[in-house]
Each structure stands twice: as C-alpha cells, then as structure tokens.
Amino acid sequence: MSFSQTLVDRLAAARHVAVLTGAGISAESGVPTFRDPDGLWARFRPQELANVEAFLRNPVLVQGWYAHRRRLAQEVAPNPGHRALARLEELVPAFTLVTQNVDDLHQRAGSRAVVELHGNLTRSYCIDCRRPAADAEAGPAHGREEGPVRCPACGGLIRPDVVWFGEPLPAEALERATEAAATCDVFLSIGTSAVVYPAAGLPLLAVEHGAYVAEVNVERSAIAAHVHEVVLGPAGTVLPALVEAVAARQGRGG
Ligand code: BJW
Ligand code: ZN
C-alpha cells in the first residue's frame, strides 16, 4: 500500500473533494461484494437477480435474497475505511460522498450528506401503489410457503428501494454526483470494479474536468488506466493512513 505525496498535498489543499464508493469498502465489514469470487453473486449472475423481470418471475427468491442482505447489513458495523471518510469530510471545505452501496454503513459511520446512487436496502415499497413498506412487511420472505410479501393496502408486490439494471438512477442523486465530479479538485474512486454505468463514468468525468483522480482498490479496476493514481490495498487500511497524512499535512494530525 502506498499513496503519493501529491495525493496527500492535493487532498490537504482541496476546496472540494468527491468520493465514489462501491462494495469493496464494505467488504472488511463482512458484506460480500458483487463480483469477487466469493461475492454475493458468485452463485447468481448479476442480471439474474438485479432486474425487474427476475423479480416478477420469482419474487420469493428475490425478496428472500434482499431480506438476507438486509439482515446482514444490520448485523455488521462500519469499518475504519467508512470512518476515515467521515473524518475526511471534516477536514475539507466541501465534500461529496457518492455511494453505489445500499447497506447504510457510510451513514452509520457518521458521514453526513451521502448521495445514494443505487438506493438503500432499509427502504421498500409497493410496485403498484408505491406506498413505502415497513420493515416487517419487507421480509423476511425466504421459505414463506404462502408466497411473496405483498402490500397490505393493494396487494401489490413489495420490492426493495434499490436500482436494478435497466432502471434509471434517482435523478437528484445522479445530478448531485455528476455536478460533484465535474467541479471537485480531487476525486477518489474506492472499492468499485467500475463496470456499472453511469456510476463508473463519474471518475472519468472528473478526469475530463481537471480533477486529480485516485483509485483505492485491492486490484486495478476497469478504469484504472484512466486515472492519475492507483493505490493498491484494502480500503480499511489505506483510507485511515491517507486521511491521517492529510490531517498531518494540514497541521491537524493526531
Ligand atoms: C476492495 C476490497 C477492499 C474488494 N478494499 N477494494 C454504458 C455502457 C454499458 C452499459 C451501460 C451504460 N450505461 C448504462 C448501462 C447499462 C447498465 C450497466 O452499467 N451495465 C453494465 C454492467 C454493462 N446500467 C444500468 O442499467 C443502470 N441504469 C441505467 O443506466 O438506466 C438508464 C435509464 C434511463 C432512463 C430510463 C430507463 C433507464 C442501473 C445500474 C444499477 C446497478 N444496480 C446494482 C444492484 C443494486 C441493488 C443491490 O445492491 O442489489 O448495483 S448492480 C451492482 O453493481 C450494485 C452495485 O452498486 C454495482 C457496482 O458494483 P461495485 O460496487 O463496483 O461492486 P463489485 O463487486 O463489482 O466490485 C467490488 C470491488 O471492490 C472490486 O473491484 C474489488 O477488487 C474491490 N475490493 N475488497 C478495496 N477491502
Ligand atoms: Zn400497494
């Protein structure tokens, strides 16, 4: 693990830092990633579960998968990587944390304005009347003999408030993320394979607009060749060290 002095200096002097996180930042909390060999989708290909057709074809399977993930996310805790980003937010004048994750761990680590691109597991709603569903209504569905979880008001299927393939991202979140990528001085892309768009386009947009862009990942992502710096290592180790170096550079260490 090694980051450059340039990255430290740029972060310490930045007016606006933007960050994009993916499943890799939560891996050290015990949340499986999507595309790693032991990831969430090792048994199912992403397209098989994360789209509305799969949900309509087999709502019990998809509701059960999300109920399992919701329970897991509630059981685990933020790790030093999440906490380091919450601290970085305090060190710079403007900070935008954009996440593809739905596990709520950034919020629980104390990050304030989190831009959720792919929704949040803690919320569910009815696909027919759009009424938000309470946690108890959202699951667990796994093993239910009586079929899928349905809306008490209209009988529609209850789905997680997440963004599946082929669905538009929440407009306001995407707008805020795009604006941040286009105007920040430094952009960090952390723990994402950078294969899912439009999220994966954000670091590239930041490069185009003149930001210094660094990736933090245990391996090079799909966009590694296009960024200024790749920091190889686990986010839970790299980020605390990086943020400590930034604080020290600003004379606020310790
Ligand atoms: C560590 C680590 C450690 C491990 N430390 N690192 C342009 C080109 C091609 C295709 C498209 C395009 N634009 C749109 C598309 C289509 C599609 C898409 O991108 N397809 C590609 C896969 C080909 N995109 C969409 O469909 C999107 N919608 C859309 O574009 O709508 C347009 C529209 C407009 C108007 C009307 C209608 C439509 C929606 C995408 C939704 C993605 N949803 C999911 C599921 C969310 C719900 C859920 O959680 O179940 O989001 S898919 C899944 O992938 C999830 C993730 O957020 C997302 C990204 O995954 P992520 O986070 O990168 O995880 P991994 O597992 O891939 O990577 C983990 C990384 O961590 C690895 O690199 C490891 O090395 C690393 N790592 N341990 C640091 N300790
Ligand atoms: Zn309903």
Side-chain angles (χ1 to χ4, degrees), residues 43-44 48-49 54-55 57-67 141-142 148:
R43 284 190 305 127
F44 296 96
E48 283 178 36
L49 291 185
F55 174 66
R57 203 165 42 240
N58 197 342
V60 172
L61 173 70
V62 176
Q63 285 178 342
W65 187 54
Y66 280 97
H142 204 65

Side-chain angles (χ1 to χ4, degrees), residues 106-143:
H106 285 303
Q107 290 87 338
R108 287 167 53 196
S111 285
R112 282 178 294 172
V114 182
V115 179
E116 295 174 335
L117 285 183
H118 293 164
N120 193 306
L121 266 182
T122 61
R123 303 186 298 262
S124 298
Y125 65 92
C126 166
I127 62 167
D128 288 335
C129 71
R130 304 260 152 183
R131 173 184 172 276
D135 253 12
E137 293 162 16
H142 204 65

Side-chain angles (χ1 to χ4, degrees), residues 23 28 34-35 66 69 100 118 163 166-167 192-193 197 217 235:
E28 291 159 80
F34 291 94
R35 294 174 184 80
Y66 280 97
R69 291 176 52 199
Q100 299 170 85
H118 293 164
V163 181
E167 295 182 328
T192 177
S193 57
Y197 283 80
N217 201 310

